Amino acid sequence: MGLLDGKVALITGASRGIGKAIALKFAAEGADIAFTDLKVAPETVSELAQTGVRVKAWESNAASFEDTARVVDEITREFGRIDILVNNAGITKDGLMLRMEESQWDAVLTVNLKSAFNYIHAVSPVMMRQRCGSIIGMASVVGLHGNAGQANYAASKGGMIALHKSIAKELGPRGIRANCIAPGFIITDMTAALPEAVRNEWVKTIPLRRGGTPEDIAGVALFLASDLSAYVSGQVVNVCGGMAC
Ligand code: NAI
């Protein structure tokens, strides 16, 4: 018996990194997996298929309203239901404010925040018909505390928190929960792009003295997706090794 037996999970940006770890964790607990990415990684599809659950991936841009509506329609027809939505797709385009270009601001806000609007907008009618669902937004500790050089990213993640809290209030009466995870410093391709010296400095500020792993995030996502958290909604769970407390 898995914690997610009989459930269907939709995860955005799950070809690699945190999204992939969440998909693998959910599959190991019995959920059928629909995932999206700008580019679908065939090895992720086959790793997921090896768990024995049903898996299908869609190549699509989460920032596109039309693309999202089409993908959610196809997933609903293919899988019959959507129990869990993880708004995970995200990017960084860091820079200090004086040097930040309008295009950097627009790209990060569109991919990180508008994408979550697109998916919640498309999925909530399905969850409302089912009278149940769990929506999880991938925020960040910088969405709570801000970060120099990441005004665009921090604003997008603060927006994610406000969006999911609002949905918790709006759709709670329909049996739908919405929560956010706020990861700290997690070792993925996204953070590998930072210079080694910067990464080492980050680790010194973390009480647990290590960067997090995608699996550290996946464990909390499993809790929020499953009925273990049946009375948890509108919350932000920091997963940051004690960095943001
Ligand atoms: P990653 O860069 O390793 O993976 C992101 C995935 O999203 C990639 O597969 C990428 O192709 C996909 N993606 C990007 N734009 C997309 C779009 N428009 N449509 C569909 N898919 C798209 O990043 P990582 O580290 O796994 O991050 C996942 C989420 O966690 C992001 O929202 C990120 O902001 C958040 N996060 C990550 C932290 C970290 O330290 N790695 C810390 C806090 C939050």
Side-chain angles (χ1 to χ4, degrees):
M1 264 285 282
L3 283 170
L4 303 180
D5 279 347
K7 294 190 193 274
V8 175
L10 162 55
I11 305 152
T12 66
S15 273
R16 66 178 196 209
I18 292 171
K20 178 181 176 181
I22 292 173
L24 284 168
K25 176 69 88 182
F26 286 6
E29 291 292 335
D32 288 333
I33 305 291
F35 82 85
T36 77
D37 208 293
L38 282 178
K39 192 122 198 60
V40 166
E43 62 275 16
T44 302
V45 177
S46 43
E47 270 181 68
L48 284 163
Q50 276 164 28
T51 63
V53 301
R54 210 163 143 214
V55 181
K56 190 155 178 190
W58 274 262
E59 215 148 81
S60 77
N61 180 1
S64 157
F65 187 78
E66 291 76 22
D67 233 17
T68 301
R70 176 185 56 80
V71 163
V72 169
D73 186 51
E74 287 176 20
I75 292 171
T76 312
R77 276 192 271 121
E78 186 98 13
F79 286 81
R81 55 189 297 118
I82 300 172
D83 300 281
I84 303 153
L85 165 65
V86 185
N87 289 312
N88 170 75
I91 57 168
T92 52
K93 288 198 183 291
D94 297 350
L96 295 170
M97 182 50 76
L98 286 181
R99 288 198 214 116
M100 188 173 290
E101 300 191 354
E102 185 187 8
S103 59
Q104 281 172 277
W105 176 271
D106 287 346
V108 168
L109 267 290
T110 310
V111 174
N112 293 9
L113 182 56
K114 189 188 170 207
S115 62
F117 158 72
N118 292 341
Y119 271 91
I120 292 171
H121 188 271
V123 165
S124 49
V126 181
M127 289 184 168
M128 280 161 73
R129 273 198 301 279
Q130 297 166 183
R131 296 203 65 79
C132 71
S134 173
I135 299 174
I136 301 168
M138 207 50 67
S140 166
V141 291
V142 308
L144 292 161
H145 302 283
N147 197 23
Q150 285 197 309
N152 52 355
Y153 184 76
S156 73
K157 297 303 188 181
M160 282 288 274
I161 292 168
L163 168 63
H164 288 78
K165 279 181 180 284
S166 301
I167 293 304
K169 292 191 169 160
E170 195 171 313
L171 300 184
R174 309 297 193 107
I176 299 167
R177 301 184 293 113
N179 294 286
C180 275
I181 296 175
F185 182 79
I186 310 301
I187 302 159
T188 66
D189 289 355
M190 183 179 269
T191 45
L194 295 168
E196 197 181 345
V198 174
R199 280 184 273 141
N200 292 341
E201 279 311 304
W202 267 92
V203 169
K204 282 188 204 154
T205 67
I206 301 170
L208 290 180
R209 292 290 185 271
R210 67 169 177 90
T213 63
E215 292 70 31
D216 289 324
I217 305 298
V220 175
L222 173 61
F223 168 70
L224 292 174
S226 76
D227 295 340
L228 289 176
S229 60
Y231 202 51
V232 180
S233 196
Q235 304 304 308
V236 183
V237 184
N238 289 358
V239 188
C240 61
M243 184 173 70
C245 57

